[in-house]
Amino acid sequence: MEQQQIDQYLERYLVLLDEYTQLRRDLSGLQSQVYQNIARANFTAERGMRYGQDHYDDRMQSIFSLKIAPSAAGVPVYVLEKPPVAAPAADHKVKEDQDTDSITEEKAESGTTADKKSAQKSKDPLRWFGLLTPAPLRTAQAQSLRAVEHIIPRLVTVNAEMASLEIEVRRVRKRRAKAEAATLKAAERTATPEAQAKMASVESN
């Protein structure tokens, strides 16, 4: 029974190992492509312009949150999620004379809308480098998003499940070893003196 369970664990482990190897290969390939596309963008960039950390926005914030939830087997599953967009705050009305209320409110609303659009645009890292973004830089962003959103979370999840299977295999093997030892001791207690002598001689050899 224990051996059958161990075989099932090992079979699942091999499937995960194959997926893990493929994910690592995909991640390595994506990273190489990202660096190549950034190099292409820098090669065709205007003089004095370089796409790198020098032009990062200091207000940079992650647009993803990491969610860790246990699976049915109790193994952690890692998923990246975009937080829900917060409802816009109510616009503050400017208090002025009754004759200019409507004009002032209209200007305030148009200004608020422009500010919101500007804030949304600034969250896109491509906007940090100006409006005319080269195609290789856009491709690098798409490849990076694929790695961060899909490959890396799945890679970590598969690694966690493999570690869990390794623990389970060790536990089953320990239980099997204890059961075999208990069976052997029981056989020694019930055996005749002649049989005990034979078992002792076999063990000594």
Side-chain angles (χ1 to χ4, degrees):
M1 183 65 181
E2 286 83 2
Q3 186 59 47
Q4 183 180 0
Q5 192 173 13
I6 291 174
D7 292 341
Q8 291 175 351
Y9 286 149
L10 292 178
E11 182 179 357
R12 175 61 181 165
Y13 188 89
L14 291 176
V15 172
L16 290 173
L17 181 60
D18 181 68
E19 183 180 2
Y20 181 86
T21 303
Q22 183 61 45
L23 288 169
R24 288 295 299 266
R25 189 181 299 113
D26 293 343
L27 179 60
S28 178
L30 274 177
Q31 288 176 329
S32 298
Q33 292 173 19
V34 167
Y35 293 136
Q36 290 173 3
N37 280 304
I38 293 177
R40 291 191 187 101
N42 283 322
F43 182 76
T44 58
E46 297 179 3
R47 186 173 183 180
M49 179 65 181
R50 182 170 180 81
Y51 301 106
Q53 297 181 2
D54 295 339
H55 295 277
Y56 282 4
D57 193 323
D58 294 335
R59 298 168 299 173
M60 177 175 59
Q61 293 182 352
S62 173
I63 59 175
F64 295 97
S65 59
L66 178 62
K67 180 181 178 181
I68 305 175
S71 65
V75 180
V77 177
Y78 299 82
V79 181
L80 281 183
E81 293 183 344
K82 282 188 177 181
V85 179
D91 295 333
H92 296 286
K93 295 183 178 180
V94 181
K95 295 182 180 180
E96 292 187 1
D97 296 338
Q98 294 181 355
D99 295 338
T100 58
D101 274 350
S102 60
I103 299 175
T104 305
E105 289 176 7
E106 187 176 338
K107 289 182 179 180
E109 288 177 1
S110 62
T112 304
T113 303
D115 292 340
K116 289 177 182 177
K117 289 182 179 179
S118 176
Q120 290 175 353
K121 288 181 179 179
S122 65
K123 291 182 180 180
D124 186 355
L126 290 179
R127 298 291 181 180
W128 302 345
F129 306 102
L131 297 177
L132 300 178
T133 307
L137 199 60
R138 294 181 182 276
T139 304
Q141 183 192 46
Q143 292 166 340
S144 299
L145 284 173
R146 183 189 168 201
V148 172
E149 289 187 68
H150 304 290
I151 294 182
I152 294 178
R154 181 56 188 165
L155 187 63
V156 179
T157 300
V158 170
N159 185 66
E161 188 173 352
M162 289 172 63
S164 176
L165 285 173
E166 291 174 1
I167 294 173
E168 292 299 325
V169 169
R170 287 196 292 267
R171 286 176 179 172
V172 175
R173 284 176 174 170
K174 286 182 179 179
R175 288 199 301 266
R176 184 180 63 180
K178 288 181 180 179
E180 290 175 352
T183 302
L184 181 61
K185 288 182 179 179
E188 290 177 351
R189 287 194 298 267
T190 58
T192 61
E194 293 80 4
Q196 290 180 0
K198 287 183 180 179
M199 285 190 291
S201 62
V202 171
E203 291 177 356
S204 61
N205 292 333

